[in-house]
Amino acid sequence: MPPTTQERYAVVSCHVERPLDDRVWAAFSALQERRPGGFCVAALIRPPDPDAGENDDELWLIRAREASDRGPLGHHTHFTSPTHARPTAGPTGERVLREGAWLYEHGLRPTLFCGGGWYTDRSVALACAKLGYADCTPRTTRPSYLPDDAAWAELAMPARLDLGEAAIAAVPTTHGPGDLARALLRPALSPRVHAYFHDTDLVHAGRRALITSTLALLGRRRPVADLDVVAATVRDHGTTLGWETVARGEAAAPRA
């Protein structure tokens, strides 16, 4: 198996949740262009929500295309609203499919996915498989704010997830900005790092400085990799695990 899945790598993604906010977009664009630590930052972008008044599709598409020119492009779903990531009602997989179809109809070809609030279930994973996405929603450790019965997926290292009628490549997310800063202070940094942050972090000077400085250090501690390349390697060569071995809480069954 190629070394990107077996030994060491570092990749970076951003959850781009407010692409129509001029200040937030400018901050994200500048960082993606700058490539701190040498990282090609993947933009996991939330589609516009017309029910929440996000109706400027033309501007959204211009910005999504700009992001895709600078790095890997992914699809990030907020299941309830722009400000409420996890679902409160309705079929979750259908939402992902509907948004994915809209992206495709407008000429975008995202390759990655991450569920808002780390939400996933089997129907979401099957939607990712149908859309051809690699999934970044699994976490290596449980997010501390999630209730005990909350749906999420736990995955120690990249793998192919067998869903029965389909399979997807999954590259787990490992560190947020604070976690990464603390991890970099220790000698025993994880061999495989998938760091993430939010676009809204970048409008705060202190958070922006933390992100850029930790990515610069991460680029010296681990081989810099491209998230699309890692995902493709997993798809072709990764170990296969059953969905039931990674699903946690309500993720073990699809939402009604």
Side-chain angles (χ1 to χ4, degrees):
M1 186 183 299
T4 50
T5 59
Q6 197 173 47
E7 297 173 4
R8 303 194 309 162
Y9 67 79
V11 295
V12 180
S13 62
C14 177
H15 296 186
V16 183
E17 298 183 347
R18 292 175 58 183
L20 293 174
D21 183 307
D22 291 344
R23 183 171 173 231
V24 174
W25 179 256
F28 168 68
S29 295
L31 182 133
Q32 197 185 30
E33 188 75 40
R34 180 180 171 188
R35 296 173 63 126
F39 289 101
C40 187
V41 177
L44 311 183
I45 190 166
R46 181 181 63 78
D49 186 346
D51 292 337
E54 295 180 336
N55 298 311
D56 197 341
D57 292 356
E58 182 178 358
L59 178 60
W60 190 96
L61 289 165
I62 288 169
R63 291 178 171 178
R65 290 175 184 130
E66 290 174 356
S68 69
D69 287 341
R70 293 188 291 255
L73 183 69
H75 174 182
H76 181 55
T77 291
H78 276 199
F79 292 95
T80 298
S81 74
T83 57
H84 192 131
R86 291 177 68 85
T88 52
T92 49
E94 287 183 18
R95 178 165 188 137
V96 174
L97 287 172
R98 183 171 67 251
E99 291 182 348
W102 185 88
L103 295 171
Y104 193 89
E105 288 165 6
H106 287 83
L108 295 172
R109 299 294 182 266
T111 54
L112 306 163
F113 178 80
C114 187
W118 310 111
Y119 181 87
T120 190
D121 59 34
R122 189 170 178 274
S123 72
V124 170
L126 284 168
C128 289
K130 185 171 183 178
L131 292 164
Y133 296 160
D135 196 4
C136 301
T137 313
R139 295 294 307 265
T140 51
T141 58
R142 178 179 174 276
S144 60
Y145 65 85
L146 290 181
D148 291 343
D149 61 349
W152 67 290
E154 183 176 14
L155 185 61
M157 63 182 293
R160 295 176 74 252
L161 302 182
D162 183 358
L163 303 165
E165 62 261 50
I168 55 171
V171 181
T173 303
T174 65
H175 297 80
D179 292 335
L180 181 60
R182 288 185 288 273
L184 287 167
L185 295 174
R186 308 184 190 109
L189 178 66
S190 304
R192 293 168 292 273
V193 176
H194 176 179
Y196 86 98
F197 57 93
H198 291 91
D199 57 349
T200 51
D201 292 330
L202 300 172
V203 297
H204 303 280
R207 295 179 199 171
R208 183 171 63 250
L210 174 66
I211 290 165
T212 55
S213 61
T214 53
L215 294 185
L217 182 54
L218 177 62
R220 295 195 290 270
R221 293 281 303 274
R222 290 291 177 267
V224 174
D226 182 293
L227 188 47
D228 270 345
V229 174
V230 173
T233 303
V234 176
R235 188 176 291 113
D236 293 341
H237 304 285
T239 300
T240 299
L241 300 174
W243 174 252
E244 68 281 358
T245 69
V246 303
R248 301 290 181 265
E250 295 177 351
R255 262 181 100 84

